[in-house]
Amino acid sequence: MSGAQAPARTRLSGHRLTGRRLALIGGLAIALVLAIFISLGLGQFPIAPHEVWNLIIAKFGVSVPPAAPGAEAALWTVRMPRLLLGVLVGAALAGSGLLLQAIFGNPLADAGVIGISSGAALGAALAIVTGMAALGNWTVPALAFVGGLISVFAVYMVSRSGGKTEVVTLILTGIAINAICAAGLGFLTFLGNTSSREQIVFWQLGSLNGALWKQVATVFPVVVIGLIVAYLVAPKLDLFALGEKSARHLGVNVEALRITVILLVAVLVSVAVAFTGIIGFVGLVIPHLMRMIIGPAHRPLLLASVLGGALLVVLADLFARTAIANADLPIGMVTSLVGGPFFFWLLIRTRKSQGGWA
């Protein structure tokens, strides 16, 4: 057995769901369900836990006592679509963060940090200000996809050198792209009318407020299909981590895998940004924490990251809705309060492990 084949088999066997991985994934799934249930009852219009349960099972034809006036509308028209959209967006952002970290071979890669979210938001803002409707309801997500795709390819082309991704170059590229997109958003804000300006501000802050069932219906198939594809390519990412040469020797089409992952990231990030705005650091914090707990095997790591990302967004949204009475904080601000210090710690930790970047 060659030296490359031995670690390859170790990595392939490492994607099994056993022990700590099952415990973590199961715990995250239970925590997510509980967080959703609790969130459905909390807000400016509180709903008792038993009423929340009754309103849910009533949808399955179970006869239940009548709920308080307005409770059914608050739960099914306002909170349920908002929470489900948050679950999908959190899963998409965490999954895309994991994919970026795998393809760049760098734990600092994240859609927000390296500017992909900003690129997607700029594309969406362009559609809003110009009033483009060539693709109907899909126009804004389509331009968000194009903006995200341009950003991720720019990051990839600039930060790659000698088959490796340099940490400093990655971060500086992200700073440059974020600056360019910020300038573009500022220009579009200047050109737009009052309604357009409000929507652009919404993109920059990030929010689940005003989520609709039709948005959930649009995001759901895109995120689910994207994550299924990510799950299917996950074992190849394990081989990719051995190095491009070793992966090629083991039968991986490196270029095809790289392009597939880049397209997946662009799709997942863009569809999230198109309906919720920029929600930063989810794709950075969650995959890294999950990797610290269950190791680098990508299939169990993807499952844990998707659940963890969904849980983080649901909890952040709960805090955003309830922290201040009669106010709805931007969820992007809440995730940044968590992710900013984490990113700072991770940056220092990575620098020390690499012996400095001079």
Side-chain angles (χ1 to χ4, degrees), residues 116-187:
I116 301 174
S117 296
S118 297
L122 180 60
L126 181 63
I128 293 169
V129 172
T130 59
M132 294 177 61
L135 300 175
N137 292 333
W138 287 91
T139 303
V140 173
L143 284 188
F145 169 73
V146 173
L149 189 63
I150 293 173
S151 296
V152 73
F153 270 111
V155 170
Y156 175 75
M157 297 300 293
V158 174
S159 61
R160 293 282 293 178
S161 177
K164 297 180 180 180
T165 305
E166 299 175 349
V167 176
V168 174
T169 308
L170 182 75
I171 296 172
L172 292 178
T173 303
I175 292 173
I177 290 178
N178 279 319
I180 293 170
C181 292
L185 286 169
F187 181 67

Side-chain angles (χ1 to χ4, degrees), residues 8 56 82 88 196 208 249-250 262:
I56 292 174
R82 177 174 180 148
L88 292 169
S196 298
L208 294 171
H249 289 314
L250 293 167
I262 288 174

Side-chain angles (χ1 to χ4, degrees), residues 213-294:
W213 280 108
K214 65 179 182 180
Q215 295 174 342
V216 176
T218 300
V219 174
F220 178 80
V222 178
V223 171
V224 169
I225 293 172
L227 292 178
I228 289 174
V229 175
Y231 185 81
L232 294 176
V233 302
K236 293 182 179 180
L237 295 176
D238 290 339
L239 297 177
F240 192 85
L242 298 173
E244 293 186 14
K245 291 183 179 179
S246 297
R248 285 192 181 96
H249 289 314
L250 293 167
V252 177
N253 188 330
V254 172
E255 291 304 318
L257 177 62
R258 184 180 291 123
I259 292 173
T260 298
V261 170
I262 288 174
L263 289 173
L264 269 178
V265 169
V267 169
L268 290 172
V269 172
S270 299
V271 76
V273 170
F275 293 109
T276 65
I278 300 175
I279 301 177
F281 293 104
V282 176
L284 175 72
V285 173
I286 296 301
H288 196 80
L289 287 177
M290 299 302 107
R291 190 181 292 107
M292 291 173 65
I293 298 173
I294 62 174

